[in-house]
Amino acid sequence: MVILGIETTCDETAAALVERTEDGHGRILSNIVLSQVAEHAEFGGVVPEIAARAHVEALDHVIAKAMAEAKLSFDALDGVAAAAGPGLIGGVIVGLTTAKAIALTHDKPLIAVNHLEAHALTARLTDATPFPYCLFLASGGHTQILAVRGVGDYLRFGGTVDDAIGEAFDKTAKLLGLGYPGGPQVEKEAVRGDAKRFALPRPMAGRHNADFSLSGLKTALRLEAEKIAPLSDQDVADLCASFQQAVVDVVMDRLRAGLRMFRERLGTPKALVCAGGVAANQAIRKVLHRVAFEVGADLVAPPPALCTDNGAMIAWAGAERLALGLTDPLDVAPRARWPLSEVAKAARS
Ligand code: KG4
Ligand code: ZN
């Protein structure tokens, strides 16, 4: 089964071709990602209108490149998948409408993929991870801990009540005059900083559920920065190190809570899977290894290029759904909001 996957929910215009064998293994035939980072950099974040226009301009070329690299024609496809949400609605409309046009013209099934489900299932493409597993999803727009029990079958243990972790890194970077996206910049500065210099809060630590809150941490950081302004290079590094350490401590505490909830409901998890750009952070990665080790689970970390937004994850989620006979009508609606709990449960035979 060969599926075309299209991703346009945020600031990456992406298309990929992925093959799924009958025994459920995946192979990436092509995976083209065009980042719009440069277009949004001067604004310190993604500007929805600019993103939507950039998707319109780039998507046809990105799809053509993905098809050419895989040496396939549209007729060879078994289905067309697009991220139908959640995300910036202008971009979602561009990707989903394009997928519909291809599906209609070439008489192929359409699969409207939930972007979060695509992140959640990526470990099955890269590592053939069996269900159920515990997922830590942390990106610029999402922060969640869930049990992935099957395609369309998710149990949410916690999420952020305000900012996403990546968003907190980005806002910290913006406040300190570092570039966008902020995560890599803050991590780089943190290496030469003193993590103990500023006493920042660890929001939600010790709570029984696995929820996150990050906006208070961001505010505390701003107050510390204002107290000592103007900032020297060392001040910036120390603020970054203190911030990152607070996030690391919070992630460790919240993941322990999430893994405990997993064990109570589903038994000991065999795998802890991470997804989203934040998992590229080495200090956070270390914590993931540690908490996985504590419960005797394997840490499954897909390569960074498949942790961040891409078309291969959309194609793969499309393939997993199509293999279960799950397709969508051509009038399926794009969705700005689409919680995983609302993704239809896969029919089980
Ligand atoms: O998954 P992703 O590429 O895009 C979405 O947000 O969907 O994640 C990007 C986010 C940004 O907020 C970025 O600052 C953060 O991931 N990020 C990092 C690191 N690399 C990327 N955060 C912390 N440390 C990093 N090394
Ligand atoms: Zn994403």
Side-chain angles (χ1 to χ4, degrees):
M1 177 192 290
V2 176
I3 305 289
L4 166 66
I6 297 172
E7 160 58 36
T8 54
T9 63
C10 191
D11 61 346
E12 262 95 28
T13 312
L17 286 144
V18 169
E19 185 182 359
R20 183 183 185 275
T21 57
E22 213 144 282
D23 64 356
H25 282 81
R27 190 160 72 93
I28 297 174
L29 306 177
S30 64
N31 189 22
I32 309 295
V33 181
L34 187 72
S35 172
Q36 303 174 4
V37 161
E39 270 131 296
H40 301 287
E42 68 173 292
F43 305 101
V46 179
V47 184
E49 181 63 24
I50 294 176
R53 285 167 189 270
H55 288 307
V56 170
E57 277 174 28
L59 185 56
D60 286 359
H61 307 289
V62 169
I63 292 171
K65 205 168 166 195
M67 299 299 297
E69 241 178 57
K71 298 191 178 66
L72 287 173
S73 68
F74 288 127
D75 287 335
L77 299 176
D78 293 290
V80 184
L88 302 172
I89 196 67
V92 176
I93 290 171
V94 175
L96 184 58
T97 307
T98 305
K100 288 177 180 180
I102 297 170
L104 179 65
T105 313
H106 299 277
D107 196 20
K108 304 291 177 188
L110 174 75
I111 307 109
V113 168
N114 179 300
H115 177 92
L116 302 175
E117 171 160 71
H119 276 304
L121 298 176
T122 298
R124 294 171 53 74
L125 166 64
T126 57
D127 295 78
T129 307
F131 298 126
Y133 51 87
C134 187
L135 176 76
F136 175 53
L137 171 60
S139 70
H142 308 285
T143 300
Q144 301 194 0
I145 300 174
L146 337 139
V148 182
R149 294 189 290 200
V151 175
D153 190 0
Y154 305 94
L155 193 59
R156 192 170 174 280
F157 297 133
T160 182
V161 299
D162 40 56
D163 293 348
I165 297 181
E167 186 181 0
F169 270 94
D170 293 336
K171 287 180 174 170
T172 294
K174 194 171 178 180
L175 174 82
L176 299 176
L178 306 170
Y180 171 81
Q185 312 279 347
V186 171
E187 181 174 20
K188 204 169 109 203
E189 291 291 326
V191 170
R192 56 182 191 87
D194 174 6
K196 295 206 175 73
R197 176 160 164 209
F198 300 99
L200 298 174
R202 270 54 175 167
M204 299 289 200
R207 291 276 184 103
H208 189 74
N209 68 22
D211 280 340
F212 290 78
S213 167
L214 291 141
S215 72
L217 176 56
K218 177 192 67 194
T219 307
L221 180 96
R222 180 168 55 75
L223 295 176
E224 292 292 346
E226 283 170 3
K227 260 191 247 165
I228 56 165
L231 303 177
S232 68
D233 284 355
Q234 193 57 51
D235 292 335
V236 169
D238 293 345
L239 284 163
C240 285
S242 301
F243 168 80
Q244 183 173 282
Q245 188 58 50
V247 174
V248 161
D249 290 349
V250 165
V251 168
M252 184 157 70
D253 180 80
R254 306 291 64 213
L255 269 176
R256 280 179 177 149
L259 288 163
R260 192 190 58 238
M261 290 166 85
F262 189 110
R263 203 170 45 228
E264 283 165 8
R265 301 289 295 271
L266 302 164
T268 304
K270 292 200 175 58
L272 171 63
V273 170
C274 64
V278 174
N281 185 289
Q282 289 306 315
I284 290 175
R285 212 28 108 81
K286 230 188 241 169
V287 160
L288 297 178
H289 273 289
R290 179 162 161 189
V291 294
F293 179 78
E294 283 170 4
V295 297
D298 287 333
L299 179 67
V300 178
L306 294 175
C307 274
T308 57
D309 292 350
N310 64 85
M313 70 178 192
I314 305 298
W316 175 254
E320 292 242 58
R321 294 186 74 78
L322 185 58
L324 293 166
L326 298 166
T327 61
D328 294 274
L330 283 173
D331 64 353
V332 63
R335 295 180 64 171
R337 287 182 50 77
W338 188 4
L340 262 183
S341 52
E342 287 178 23
V343 175
K345 261 192 188 178
R348 263 158 228 283
S349 48

